[in-house]
Amino acid sequence: MTAPSSTALIVVDVQNDFCEGGSLAVAGGAQVAADVAELVASGRYGTVVATRDHHIDPGSHFSDEPDFVDSWPPHCVVGTPGELLHAPLTEDLFAETFFKGEYEAAYSGFEGKSADGSTLAGWLREHGISEVDVCGIATDYCVRATALDAAREGFGVRVLDGLTAAVSADNLTQVRQDFADAGVTLSTSP
Ligand SMILES: [Zn+2]
């Protein structure tokens, strides 16, 4: 099955620091990387883009005593291996990558910009996209924020639940409620 050409896959923050062995590891992150790579390779989506946390000096987003709600151990610092996509994902799999969070926290991919300065919403519209499927890390932070912003921007949004990993399972009841309230649907398979 191929997705309609008006549907894009958004792969959120599947980076080394958010996977096992990284500075802010989310359990199941490496499995998400493997499963997303398989989905991309299947050719199901004509348009696939990535977002990346891309920190230079994000202020209070980083802390030596993080609360894991608003402050976090340093992660995804530009120029470090932790900021790179987790294998087997590679940059060339994506039509475009949107970088966010240089100087402040940025959970949503819609806060990011591509290397040539395009916003995610603008880029998707230019490419005739009206529906997005969202997957990646972490379900309760950057996937949530990206999916809710996509809905706010007027896109039809599905979150691919089996292709995400959460910081805390305790957050998921609220996250599912937030998705339902915003008209974001959850799907266990692509
Ligand atoms: Zn961050």
Side-chain angles (χ1 to χ4, degrees):
M1 277 278 286
T2 306
S5 61
S6 58
T7 301
L9 179 67
I10 303 177
V11 178
V12 176
D13 296 13
V14 185
Q15 295 165 264
N16 287 326
D17 271 343
F18 295 138
C19 296
E20 288 83 349
S23 67
L24 180 40
V26 175
Q31 188 63 50
V32 168
D35 292 346
V36 169
E38 196 174 306
L39 176 61
V40 173
S42 75
R44 181 178 166 76
Y45 294 91
T47 304
V48 184
V49 299
T51 71
R52 270 162 64 178
D53 226 9
H54 193 70
H55 293 311
I56 296 170
D57 181 9
S60 61
H61 185 55
F62 284 177
S63 173
D64 295 334
E65 294 175 9
D67 64 9
F68 292 89
V69 176
D70 295 310
S71 61
W72 307 90
H75 58 273
C76 301
V77 173
V78 173
T80 67
E83 196 256 337
L84 301 177
L85 294 172
H86 193 280
L89 292 174
T90 51
E91 292 196 25
D92 59 311
L93 294 172
F94 300 96
E96 192 55 273
T97 299
F98 297 85
F99 299 95
K100 59 187 174 65
E102 278 82 352
Y103 296 102
E104 59 188 347
Y107 294 99
S108 166
F110 285 85
E111 297 178 65
K113 287 211 165 66
S114 67
D116 70 4
S118 302
T119 64
L120 178 51
W123 191 96
L124 291 170
R125 288 194 189 101
E126 270 167 33
H127 287 77
I129 301 298
S130 53
E131 315 279 322
V132 295
D133 286 357
V134 182
C135 62
I137 306 170
T139 326
D140 37 349
Y141 287 93
C142 292
V143 170
R144 173 185 176 278
T146 300
L148 294 179
D149 268 357
R152 245 174 246 129
E153 290 280 355
F155 296 96
V157 188
R158 241 176 17 148
V159 170
L160 305 179
D161 201 28
L163 294 174
T164 68
V167 169
S168 169
D170 294 342
N171 291 334
L172 293 179
T173 303
Q174 182 62 49
V175 169
R176 293 199 177 101
Q177 186 61 52
D178 294 341
F179 286 163
D181 291 346
V184 170
T185 57
L186 269 180
S187 174
T188 48
S189 66

